[in-house]
Amino acid sequence: MSPKDAPRVRRRGRGGGRFTDWFTPARTTVVVLVALAIVFMAENTEQVRIRLIIPLVTMPLYLALLLMFLVGALCGGLFFRRKQPR
């Protein structure tokens, strides 16, 4: 039996469980960064003028920040997505 065909066995660290398996350092960092981004957007609510190549748009700063956050998250998700095995 090759290593690819062998069944996977989940090994738990020191008293690990579902809770500790979900909260990895990377996921915790992402949660903290998202929370900071939300607080930053909530604090910046004034109207701003933004030039979008040709038109000049007036919108709340938090909306512009939210849109750029979503664009960045989408680009990051597409760039770092895992390939599905065939």
Side-chain angles (χ1 to χ4, degrees):
M1 190 183 278
S2 72
K4 289 183 181 180
D5 297 334
R8 288 188 164 182
V9 176
R10 291 190 70 169
R11 296 182 185 169
R12 295 186 185 215
R14 296 173 277 156
R18 288 185 183 203
F19 185 75
T20 55
D21 288 345
W22 195 85
F23 281 105
T24 63
R27 287 181 179 161
T28 304
T29 302
V30 168
V31 168
V32 168
L33 289 176
V34 168
L36 288 174
I38 290 171
V39 168
F40 184 76
M41 287 185 283
E43 292 293 324
N44 292 290
T45 58
E46 64 272 359
Q47 295 281 328
V48 294
R49 293 182 351 186
I50 300 169
R51 180 166 301 279
L52 300 172
I53 301 175
I54 301 292
L56 187 64
V57 179
T58 302
M59 67 173 60
L61 182 57
Y62 74 88
L63 189 59
L65 291 170
L66 179 63
L67 289 172
M68 288 298 100
F69 176 77
L70 293 174
V71 167
L74 179 67
C75 291
L78 290 174
F79 188 73
F80 289 109
R81 73 178 178 190
R82 294 182 180 166
K83 304 283 186 203
Q84 295 294 330
R86 292 185 185 202

